[in-house]
Amino acid sequence: MTLAALASVSVVGVGWQLGAQLTASQQTLATSVPAAAIGTAATATGTAATPSAAPSAAPTAAAAAPAAASGTFDGSVVHTRFGPVQVSVTIANGTITEVMALQLTNDGGRSVMISNQAAPILRSEVLAAQSAQVQNVSGATYTTGGYLTSLQAALDAAQF
Amino acid sequence: MSLDTRPTQRTRRHTSVPRIHPNYHRRMRLADGLQIIAVVSVALVIAIFLADGGASRFGTPADAITSLGVVTGLVGTDLLLLMMLLAARLPSIDRAFGHDSAMELHQSLGKPALYLILGHGVLLTIGYAMVQPASVFAEVWIMLTTLPDMPLAFVGLGLLVTVVVTSLVVVRHRFRYEAWHLVHLLSYLAVLVSIPHQLSVGTLFREGSVQRYYWLALYVGVAGSILLFRFIVPIVRSLRSRLVVEGVDPVARGVVSIRLSGRQLRRLGARSGQFFIWRFWTPKLWWQAHPFSLSAAPTGDALRITVRGLGDASSALSALPKGTRVSFEGPYGLFTDFARTSPRIVLIAAGIGVAPIRSLLETATFAPGQATVILRSSTADDTYLVDELTDLCRARGAQLRIIAGKRSPGVNSWLPADAVRAKVSLRTLVPKLREADVYICGPRRWTDEVVRDARAAGLPTRQIHFERFDW
């Protein structure tokens, strides 16, 4: 019986250690995400500037102020522990007119449900605030984090 | 002089501390190994939760409740799988613990497993409702409609509650065995329908992960064991043995010995004292299976059981026609010479419990004068197989004692009232009891009293073997 206890304690200990390492690596990943997002955002600009500019936005884009581009811009893909998150943003005349989720956390039915509930809330908050500086949706911390990071990358690409 | 004393010293030490049979150590090593596997399997699911970063998800009350709900689900399911293994008639489990102890453990795990799984459902509903935020009832509806495979999971929970509630002792006795058993089989369905949500709702067993393969391997292992040892092995053995009723000998009112003949019976590896679960293929009896012990040592082509038929089965069993086909599961049980640890042996039986005692007496290893057989009954008339036992005791050099008389009401003893008054106990009945293995077979309450007496006499657990009947 002591052997069983000993084996159990070591098995749980190994699990604990693995979990601690995972949590630590997720934290470093989370802090490094903005930097990485800016890096990938460059490619987002590429796609946004040339092919995927919305037809309705394109003419206005030419006439608009040179600082902020108009059109649709894809954000970077942000990897969370519940799966990847990516959004695209549509900007017209210096206003954010639409935010669309291209990918949402999809690891397990529970996280699909959470992100499906959080996405509309985040969208309306972003449209109201006209920036990525909005409140965390409680219970959907990972989705919120990924969503806003990806959005910020898209906005940076649009030089919004 | 020194040459003279040494051997006597050695023999004295030999008798005062009886050498424990090597079988016992082998059996205990196997039992320890199985116990370690069981305990570590629980530790492993907790480790899986922790390895996924579970320890960091206790920050908010909602997170803590949700995480606790995940852990109770994991541990509860692991216990359910262990319970199913315990009931799967695994040969190694039977050899290490015996069928009775295995089923007792199975039974004692039932309530904890149910509480953990109920806790899993309740805690996760509360945890999810807190972050939503929604009322608990609204959350149940949200879970049922938006999460994958949740309706099935709720069905599984309902089935599990049904199975455990019908197995509570109070409720269980209101059912026929067959009806209860049919309900009990629903537990397989309960476990089966709860698998999808485990894989689809959470992130612990995400696709392609090692954890998912381990978890599925557990299920496959348990299902495979059940299929092999509860179905395939009994069917193959029954077909191969071609067992038929050879004859039915009346023993007493309602008690018969059923002689069975077949072929290649040595391959069953049956031992005196073991039981089989029998099915007699007559129009009246084929749908019931009964556990009956061997009342004679098994041979290569013949088995014998002695049966007291209760209720409607009684008349049908005594009228079994010659040539009736018999199928069986078994042999099971550790009520055999294999479990011996000591040179002497004491065999104690009440009622129809005499059956396995009779077969044990036939083949157990002991020198003449080292065995005692005690038959206990309320009157001298309701002992069975006494003539056979008398002959066997004479042939093998065992002492036979028949203790008849009613127990006094309100006194907890296995002995009659006058014996209790005279301070008779197992220790006074059997010389050198400490050097003996005691085998006890009888009704549950009575058996428990004998076991208590044996423990009071200072016998270690390894020297007490018992089998209790009631279903």
Side-chain angles (χ1 to χ4, degrees):
Chain A
M1 226 44 231
T2 46
L3 199 59
L6 216 67
S8 304
V9 167
S10 43
V11 165
V12 170
V14 169
W16 182 286
Q17 199 55 42
L18 287 173
Q21 276 171 19
L22 186 78
T23 312
S25 72
Q26 270 167 4
Q27 272 160 2
T28 46
L29 197 73
T31 49
S32 68
V33 155
I38 292 160
T40 37
T43 51
T45 329
T47 49
T50 38
S52 80
S56 64
T60 358
S70 284
T72 301
F73 301 87
D74 292 353
S76 54
V77 179
V78 179
H79 294 279
T80 76
R81 69 172 292 275
F82 293 109
V85 177
Q86 188 187 20
V87 298
S88 76
V89 64
T90 304
I91 296 169
N93 296 329
T95 12
I96 302 174
T97 57
E98 181 62 279
V99 187
M100 257 178 34
L102 302 177
Q103 296 184 69
L104 284 174
T105 55
N106 60 356
D107 191 358
R110 173 73 184 158
S111 60
V112 171
M113 173 191 153
I114 288 172
S115 53
N116 282 342
Q117 282 178 351
I121 299 171
L122 287 165
R123 176 184 170 272
S124 57
E125 279 185 3
V126 167
L127 291 182
Q130 287 296 310
S131 78
Q133 269 70 56
V134 299
Q135 269 203 325
N136 177 49
V137 175
S138 78
T141 311
Y142 286 91
T143 305
T144 306
Y147 192 97
L148 297 179
T149 308
S150 182
L151 175 68
Q152 189 58 57
L155 292 178
D156 289 346
Q159 292 165 349
F160 181 79
Chain B
M1 275 323 234
S2 60
L3 270 174
D4 275 335
T5 49
R6 222 194 284 157
T8 41
Q9 254 180 359
R10 193 184 285 159
T11 31
R12 231 187 35 224
R13 198 190 301 149
H14 186 80
T15 48
S16 63
V17 185
R19 196 175 61 92
I20 297 173
H21 200 280
N23 267 353
Y24 174 73
H25 293 296
R26 225 172 298 150
R27 195 157 67 76
M28 285 303 107
R29 267 201 301 278
L30 180 62
D32 285 349
L34 291 170
Q35 257 167 10
I36 289 171
I37 290 172
V39 173
V40 168
S41 80
V42 174
L44 204 56
V45 289
I46 295 174
I48 285 175
F49 170 77
L50 291 174
D52 195 52
S56 66
R57 291 198 291 281
F58 283 88
T60 66
D63 273 359
I65 290 173
T66 304
S67 297
L68 217 57
V70 173
V71 173
T72 53
L74 286 168
V75 175
T77 306
D78 194 69
L79 290 188
L80 270 188
L81 291 174
L82 286 175
M83 284 175 71
M84 298 183 89
L85 265 190
L86 282 168
R89 316 279 191 262
L90 240 63
S92 53
I93 289 180
D94 195 51
R95 219 170 330 126
F97 303 104
H99 181 266
D100 277 25
S101 305
M103 291 320 286
E104 215 158 275
L105 188 58
H106 168 95
Q107 218 172 339
S108 65
L109 284 176
K111 270 201 237 170
L114 179 70
Y115 291 152
L116 283 167
I117 301 235
L118 276 176
H120 165 72
V122 169
L123 288 171
L124 282 182
T125 308
I126 294 174
Y128 286 3
M130 281 169 83
V131 287
Q132 196 75 24
S135 75
V136 169
F137 297 104
E139 183 58 38
V140 169
W141 180 249
I142 293 170
M143 286 163 87
L144 280 171
T145 50
T146 57
L147 287 180
D149 306 316
M150 281 314 288
L152 275 181
F154 274 92
V155 168
L157 188 63
L159 288 174
L160 206 60
V161 172
T162 313
V163 168
V164 177
V165 167
T166 54
S167 293
L168 299 176
V169 175
V170 201
V171 187
R172 185 173 156 169
H173 284 287
R174 297 179 185 210
F175 289 95
R176 278 193 71 99
Y177 173 83
E178 285 75 21
W180 169 83
H181 191 243
L182 219 57
V183 174
H184 217 68
L185 290 179
L186 288 177
S187 51
Y188 292 141
L189 192 65
V191 169
L192 215 61
V193 296
S194 68
I195 298 175
H197 91 282
Q198 296 164 10
L199 302 177
S200 64
V201 175
T203 55
L204 225 43
F205 303 119
R206 57 175 68 89
E207 253 172 90
S209 64
V210 184
Q211 296 93 302
R212 191 187 182 96
Y213 287 120
Y214 168 71
W215 196 243
L216 289 176
L218 280 187
Y219 278 101
V220 171
V222 171
S225 305
I226 291 169
L227 190 69
L228 182 61
F229 295 114
R230 291 212 69 168
F231 296 96
I232 296 175
V233 167
I235 289 171
V236 167
R237 285 181 166 182
S238 291
L239 289 176
R240 186 184 63 208
S241 303
R242 290 194 203 157
L243 221 53
V244 292
V245 172
E246 187 62 34
V248 178
D249 309 321
V251 172
R253 228 179 99 87
V255 179
V256 290
S257 282
I258 303 174
R259 283 177 284 114
L260 307 163
S261 67
R263 44 176 219 135
Q264 301 190 39
L265 301 184
R266 288 254 179 260
R267 286 176 68 184
L268 299 175
R271 295 162 180 274
S272 291
Q274 282 190 309
F275 70 94
F276 293 70
I277 296 168
W278 307 95
R279 202 179 283 277
F280 299 96
W281 289 88
T282 68
K284 246 178 149 173
L285 288 173
W286 67 269
W287 57 280
Q288 352 180 303
H290 293 283
F292 292 132
S293 294
L294 295 176
S295 63
T299 69
D301 56 5
L303 301 173
R304 194 190 78 167
I305 54 180
T306 300
V307 171
R308 188 178 54 195
L310 294 166
D312 48 344
S314 159
S315 53
L317 281 174
S318 52
L320 273 177
K322 187 181 170 182
T324 302
R325 282 194 143 276
V326 182
S327 66
F328 59 87
E329 298 161 51
Y332 300 131
L334 207 52
F335 198 68
T336 65
D337 212 34
F338 181 75
R340 281 288 286 286
T341 63
S342 312
R344 289 172 176 270
I345 187 168
V346 181
L347 305 168
I348 310 174
I352 199 63
V354 73
I357 293 294
R358 153 75 178 72
S359 63
L360 263 175
L361 177 64
E362 202 175 335
T363 52
T365 323
F366 61 85
Q370 297 206 318
T372 309
V373 181
I374 300 174
L375 288 189
R376 177 75 182 85
S377 66
S378 343
T379 65
D381 297 333
D382 57 4
T383 49
Y384 314 121
L385 302 176
V386 177
D387 293 346
E388 289 185 19
L389 281 168
T390 311
D391 290 347
L392 270 173
C393 282
R394 195 169 294 140
R396 297 217 53 196
Q399 194 188 27
L400 177 64
R401 282 166 169 259
I402 298 175
I403 304 174
K406 293 234 185 300
R407 283 189 274 175
S408 54
V411 177
N412 291 332
S413 171
W414 63 282
L415 288 162
D418 51 345
V420 175
R421 271 195 302 277
K423 302 240 181 287
V424 172
S425 72
L426 201 53
R427 204 208 309 247
T428 65
L429 281 168
V430 181
K432 295 186 178 168
L433 179 66
R434 295 289 288 274
E435 296 164 26
D437 277 298
V438 178
Y439 287 75
I440 309 147
C441 187
R444 181 169 288 269
R445 298 273 286 282
W446 176 85
T447 306
D448 290 344
E449 287 302 327
V450 190
V451 171
R452 217 165 54 99
D453 193 3
R455 293 231 167 93
L459 272 196
T461 312
R462 64 165 181 272
Q463 280 168 254
I464 306 173
H465 318 273
F466 55 89
E467 200 152 80
R468 303 176 292 192
F469 48 81
D470 65 356
W471 69 265

